């Protein structure tokens, strides 16, 4: 393995955890890891800290123009950086930003591209990677045959661990043409003041078992106690008990938290498709036969209206 470039994303001045996973994945591949980061909202010290996770150098496009999701410009600059750095592998997060960027870079540098990667590549004969397919129900082993390779890493596929060291941060002169800025995000706002669901490490989610929107106070209270985001099943958002951006599942948000607590949700296959990358699943349901229990790490058979307040109380007391 020669040189690996990692595209890191940042939000509110901090490198995203999914990007730290991408850096650790790249380090695990065994090559020399260079990072490229965009915008002037992320500090040099934050970028230099990427050395702790295995990066030896950070190329920083320290320019306000690159702060907000300028996908085409990122792709042009990354393609340029791959060429200048002699990188034959690009690693990035399998995210709503990483995916469109990776597709554009693949065209520009004529690379083999695989998304949803779950394991380190097998380079014993060629270059094979495992990817998750059918919303996590199966895996495909993919051969990458072009000289350049792009790997979009599924959330939670790589462990974030410190290996020591610090990275040098160098300015990188971006050369994206003006046309790349034709759709420019000027401002982003959270849909609610709460924790964003797709990024959340902890999620408390409610289903039709909660009977009505008036009962969501206990879900919010539990979520607040844990510092968790709130989610829901599709019928709940269809009935306007909760906003649509909270709907988790195949047709909604896919979450990959450390802990997903499902309250009064049956565990239909379409809901599970959005949560099966969670590290730990806790199910609270009064029906011991509810299918969600088969996907759960821990299950509580009981009435949510009794269990949830007691759980919140116990957590507050802890
Ligand atoms: P229910 O199936 O009604 O389950 C309610 C659960 O609450 C039951 O298990 C019950 O035992 C339990 N319960 C009742 N009272 C209590 C109580 N007091 N205490 C504890 N537990 C209690 N669904 C999604 O969620 N996300 C999707 O993305 C999605 N996409 C879909 C796409 C398609 C094409 C289709 C056809 C369906 C999709 N669905 C999706 C719907 C899905 O099939 C289920 O209908 C839905 O997930 C069920 O929601 P639920 O579990 O909240 O409700």
């Amino acid at each position: 393995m020669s040189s690996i470039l990692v595209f890191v994303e940042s939000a509110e001045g901090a490198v995203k955890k999914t990007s730290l996973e991408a850096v650790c994945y790249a380090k695990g591949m065994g090559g020399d890891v260079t990072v490229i980061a965009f915008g002037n909202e992320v500090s040099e010290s934050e970028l230099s800290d990427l050395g702790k996770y295995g990066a030896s150098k950070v190329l920083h496009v320290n320019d306000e123009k690159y702060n907000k999701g300028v996908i085409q410009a990122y792709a042009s600059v990354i393609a340029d950086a791959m060429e200048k750095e002699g990188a034959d592998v690009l690693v990035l997060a399998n995210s709503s930003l990483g995916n469109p960027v990776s597709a554009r870079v693949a065209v520009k540098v004529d690379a083999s591209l695989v998304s949803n990667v779950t394991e380190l590549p097998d380079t014993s004969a060629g270059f094979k990677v495992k990817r998750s397919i059918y919303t996590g129900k199966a895996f495909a082993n993919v051969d990458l045959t072009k000289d350049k390779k792009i790997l979009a890493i599924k959330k939670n596929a790589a462990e974030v661990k410190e290996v020591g060291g610090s990275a040098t941060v160098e300015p990188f002169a971006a050369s994206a043409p003006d046309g790349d800025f034709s759709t420019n995000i000027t401002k982003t706002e959270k849909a609610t003041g709460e924790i964003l669901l797709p990024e959340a490490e902890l999620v408390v989610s409610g289903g039709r078992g909660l009977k009505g929107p008036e009962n969501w106070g206990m879900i919010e209270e539990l979520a607040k106690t844990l510092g968790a985001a709130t989610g829901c099943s599709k019928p709940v958002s269809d009935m306007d008990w909760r906003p649509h951006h909270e709907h988790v599942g195949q047709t909604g948000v896919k979450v990959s938290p450390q802990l997903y607590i499902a309250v009064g949700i049956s565990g239909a296959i379409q809901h599970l498709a959005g949560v099966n990358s969670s590290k730990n699943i806790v199910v609270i349901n009064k029906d011991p036969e509810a299918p969600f229990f088969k996907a759960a790490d821990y299950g509580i058979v009981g009435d949510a209206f009794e269990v949830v307040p007691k759980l919140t109380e116990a957590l507050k007391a802890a």
Side-chain angles (χ1 to χ4, degrees), residues 240-256:
D240 274 341
W241 293 3
R242 297 297 291 174
H244 275 282
H245 63 80
E246 288 197 359
H247 150 202
V248 172
Q250 183 185 320
T251 48
V253 180
K254 314 266 182 307
V255 296
S256 314

Side-chain angles (χ1 to χ4, degrees), residues 152-164:
I153 311 304
K154 191 173 190 296
K155 196 173 172 198
N156 285 339
E159 196 187 340
V160 176
K161 55 175 186 229
E162 295 193 14
V163 291

Side-chain angles (χ1 to χ4, degrees), residues 207-209 211 233-236 247-252 264-268 270-271 284-287 290 302-305:
R208 207 149 44 179
K211 319 285 187 227
S233 65
K234 183 172 182 294
V236 163
H247 150 202
V248 172
Q250 183 185 320
T251 48
I265 303 178
S266 57
Q270 296 91 352
H271 188 84
I284 301 170
N285 197 303
K286 70 175 186 184
D287 175 9
D303 187 335
F305 295 93

Side-chain angles (χ1 to χ4, degrees), residues 14-228:
V15 172
K16 288 190 173 182
K17 180 169 172 273
T18 46
S19 291
L20 294 181
E21 289 171 7
V23 174
C24 292
Y25 178 96
K27 186 64 186 169
M29 287 173 67
D32 187 33
V33 178
T34 298
V35 162
I36 185 157
F38 292 87
N40 67 356
E41 290 176 343
V42 58
S43 71
E44 291 229 341
S45 68
E46 175 87 12
L47 293 176
S48 161
D49 275 353
L50 291 172
K52 288 185 196 159
Y53 304 99
S56 55
K57 183 166 74 174
V58 179
L59 308 174
H60 188 195
V61 181
N62 189 351
D63 183 341
E64 192 185 357
K65 238 169 70 169
Y66 291 83
N67 279 353
K68 299 258 183 271
V70 278
I71 292 166
Q72 298 192 98
Y74 293 160
S76 296
V77 177
I78 291 167
D80 184 33
M82 282 184 82
E83 168 117 28
K84 286 187 176 137
E85 293 296 312
D88 42 23
V89 179
L90 172 68
V91 176
L92 34 62
N94 191 89
S95 64
S96 56
L97 179 61
N99 285 340
V101 168
S102 63
R104 284 165 174 81
V105 178
V107 172
K108 285 175 190 288
V109 303
D110 188 25
S112 298
L113 162 65
V114 186
S115 60
N116 257 331
V117 172
T118 57
E119 285 179 16
L120 286 169
D122 174 2
T123 52
S124 55
F127 194 109
K128 293 182 183 18
V129 288
K130 198 172 195 175
R131 72 181 297 254
S132 168
I133 56 171
Y134 301 131
T135 60
K137 287 262 165 289
F139 296 101
N141 292 301
V142 185
D143 265 327
L144 282 75
T145 54
K146 293 199 167 168
D147 290 345
K148 288 193 168 47
K149 283 115 182 141
I150 302 180
L151 310 177
I153 311 304
K154 191 173 190 296
K155 196 173 172 198
N156 285 339
E159 196 187 340
V160 176
K161 55 175 186 229
E162 295 193 14
V163 291
S166 78
T168 56
V169 182
E170 297 177 7
F172 188 78
S175 52
D178 287 348
D180 282 358
F181 296 90
S182 57
T183 50
N184 202 353
I185 299 167
T186 52
K187 192 178 171 198
T188 53
E189 290 170 29
K190 286 183 186 173
T192 69
E194 309 302 324
I195 297 156
L196 286 177
L197 189 55
E199 303 284 327
E201 291 291 303
L202 302 165
V203 177
V204 181
S205 202
R208 207 149 44 179
L210 288 167
K211 319 285 187 227
E214 66 281 5
N215 295 323
W216 237 264
M218 66 180 184
I219 296 293
E220 283 171 343
E221 188 64 17
L222 176 56
K224 195 170 153 207
T225 307
L226 286 166

